[in-house]
Amino acid sequence: MPSSRGRLIRGLCALLVVGGLSPLTAAAADGAGPRAGTAGERPAADRPAADWRIDLADRSADQHNIRHRTDGGLTIGDRRTRTPSAPGKAFAVYTAPARSLGRQADTFTVAPKAEVPSGTQLLTEVRGSAHPGRWTQWTTPDSAGRLRLAEAVSVLQVRLTLFGTGSASPIVSAVSVHADPARSAARAETGTAAAASVTYRLFATREGLTGQTTANGHVIQPRDHFVALPSRRMLASNGGREYQVRLCYARTGRCETAPVWDVGPWNTQDDYWNPPAQRQMWRDLPQGTPEAQAAYQSGYNGGLDEFGRRVANPAGIDLADGTFWDGLGMTDNDWVDVTFQPTDDGGGGQTTVTAWAQANVRACASTSCEIKSTVYPNQTYPANCWKTGQLVTAEGYTNDKWVELPLSAGGVGYVSGIYLKGDATGGVTRECGT
């Protein structure tokens, strides 16, 4: 993309604390469909303060199935709405906009004021950011509302998840937050930071459940691309990619980087990717061993999950249909290599790109070449390199860079870089042939 566009984007990004800009207009030229918006964290514009109340009436919050009461409180909208991660429970989620603290802090007190009838639950979670685009894992305050994050942060975000019954729901009337200054002492175990880039071999199952709602409020689409992990600590926002994993399947040699949009399989408090001392449950298990795997293979916990169900397979990760079938080429549940929070291309000279619009992947770097495949909005694809090709115009911008993608059927194809997020090459640094 032209340098003026890059300067504009860099200038706008400098105004943000966290998050990103959402696309606003429709695609043209070689695009195969309308442009889709991207989810990003919204930094709060409030003046910095050590104590504040979350504005529960803020409609810019990321929310699903929330009803705003006339008294300013929140409750569940439709008590018929369910999520597979909480069977039999009504479900709603409200993620307040991220707030700039104006200073560094690592210790917080979060105090919800709520009515929680018998059989219902209000789950409060907090995460922080010290660097744009990088978050700690979600942390649940203790019984006194206190928590300490693993690093001092300058941005804080609070997520409220409401679980109800067919006849009752929690009602949240206020949430206050107090921030203490950052301390120099060693961080507490409970404030887990973002997972390091580490790879485990895990048994993966296909989630399916098209039309149902994930734990972050995403409605599952046919051949969707995301994964589920058995803990909320790495649950990304609806449409977001703050937490993701890279999966590789040895039988096909194919890989995909996918966001974490749901909770499961089997357990909901099994963050096995964290060191045992930081793990929510099952702290006597080795790091990287899911509880379900230990229960199935060696009878751990009597062969049961956290809900007392008999574990029928060793699954530590669920894959949406598109990731399972299209991304990895799997035909049955199997073992895959999973890298948590990948920080690079995973080796082999490959990186990943993310499309902002549906666009054609062609046999050469020109719109006159045969269409070989398609990329879809907000989906991530492995990429090899970039090359100069036909000049493509969209939304008043022009770009002659095309990115080479490996095709699932074998060989490679090319997509115009103008339909990829980031710079002119979608973040791919290697030129083809070099």
Side-chain angles (χ1 to χ4, degrees):
M1 297 179 189
S3 58
S4 60
R5 184 182 187 188
R7 287 194 296 270
L8 173 61
I9 292 175
R10 286 192 296 272
L12 290 172
C13 287
L15 298 176
L16 297 177
V17 177
V18 293
L21 299 175
S22 296
L24 300 175
T25 53
D30 199 38
R35 183 172 187 168
T38 57
E41 298 73 38
R42 307 170 181 87
D46 308 272
R47 63 184 177 83
D51 298 273
W52 72 93
R53 274 196 171 194
I54 292 176
D55 181 6
L56 298 179
D58 191 341
R59 301 302 179 97
S60 69
D62 182 8
Q63 51 192 307
H64 170 75
N65 195 31
I66 288 289
R67 178 167 68 86
H68 291 263
R69 292 164 49 92
T70 56
D71 60 7
L74 301 177
T75 190
I76 296 176
D78 184 351
R79 288 198 291 265
R80 296 170 298 180
T81 299
R82 301 287 190 268
T83 177
S85 62
K89 295 287 187 180
F91 161 75
V93 60
Y94 182 92
T95 306
R99 181 182 179 102
S100 174
L101 303 177
R103 58 186 174 84
Q104 293 275 298
D106 62 359
T107 305
F108 303 89
T109 301
V110 183
K113 182 179 179 181
E115 298 176 21
V116 186
S118 176
T120 72
Q121 180 188 6
L122 171 63
L123 178 62
T124 304
E125 298 167 294
V126 177
R127 67 177 180 178
S129 176
H131 308 280
R134 194 183 80 189
W135 292 94
T136 67
Q137 293 180 47
W138 289 102
T139 300
T140 303
D142 63 19
S143 58
R146 301 273 294 174
L147 67 108
R148 193 176 183 195
L149 298 178
E151 62 179 315
V153 300
S154 56
V155 173
L156 199 73
Q157 192 166 37
V158 176
R159 180 168 68 190
L160 305 173
T161 304
L162 290 70
F163 298 101
T165 65
S167 59
S169 304
I171 299 174
V172 185
S173 55
V175 180
S176 62
V177 182
H178 172 80
D180 291 334
R183 303 176 185 176
S184 59
R187 303 290 178 241
E189 291 178 352
T190 54
T192 51
S197 182
V198 60
T199 301
Y200 301 112
R201 189 161 183 79
L202 302 172
F203 192 77
T205 48
R206 184 178 69 85
E207 177 162 349
L209 304 178
T210 298
Q212 296 196 38
T213 304
T214 67
N216 70 356
H218 171 73
V219 178
I220 302 175
Q221 304 299 308
R223 305 190 92 94
D224 219 336
H225 289 256
F226 66 86
V227 303
L229 294 176
S231 167
R232 300 176 60 87
R233 282 186 164 174
M234 280 183 60
L235 179 64
S237 59
N238 188 354
R241 306 188 71 90
E242 313 96 289
Y243 309 104
Q244 58 185 9
V245 296
R246 181 167 176 79
L247 309 108
C248 291
Y249 186 41
R251 292 181 184 273
T252 61
R254 288 157 64 174
C255 299
E256 177 176 306
T257 301
V260 184
W261 286 353
D262 205 2
V263 176
W266 297 111
N267 295 301
T268 63
Q269 299 183 75
D270 185 22
D271 51 327
Y272 56 79
W273 51 90
N274 283 321
Q278 297 178 5
R279 200 160 168 167
Q280 292 171 283
M281 296 180 68
W282 327 117
R283 291 188 172 188
D284 54 337
L285 288 176
Q287 184 175 356
T289 300
E291 189 276 341
Q293 179 178 327
Y296 181 80
Q297 293 180 334
S298 58
Y300 179 84
N301 193 41
L304 309 177
D305 68 2
E306 70 178 87
F307 303 104
R309 300 174 298 187
R310 178 69 54 184
V311 175
N313 60 53
I317 189 170
D318 265 342
L319 314 184
D321 288 352
T323 299
F324 189 94
W325 288 324
D326 304 325
L328 301 183
M330 298 178 69
T331 58
D332 198 1
N333 301 332
D334 205 349
W335 297 89
V336 298
D337 294 312
V338 182
T339 302
F340 286 74
Q341 294 294 88
T343 57
D344 53 29
D345 60 17
Q350 236 180 38
T351 186
T352 57
V353 294
T354 303
W356 59 255
Q358 183 174 332
N360 297 318
V361 180
R362 297 181 178 272
C364 74
S366 170
T367 58
S368 63
C369 292
E370 177 188 1
I371 297 174
K372 306 294 290 186
S373 184
T374 306
V375 295
Y376 296 95
N378 300 318
Q379 299 302 323
T380 298
Y381 302 88
N384 297 329
C385 55
W386 65 269
K387 65 188 302 183
T388 301
Q390 179 187 348
L391 197 68
V392 175
T393 299
E395 299 185 338
Y397 300 107
T398 57
N399 186 6
D400 63 355
K401 301 299 185 292
W402 290 68
V403 175
E404 181 182 285
L405 309 180
L407 300 176
S408 59
V412 297
Y414 299 88
V415 61
S416 171
I418 208 165
Y419 301 110
L420 304 177
K421 295 182 181 181
D423 58 17
T425 62
V428 179
T429 58
R430 187 169 72 88
E431 186 174 2
C432 298
T434 62

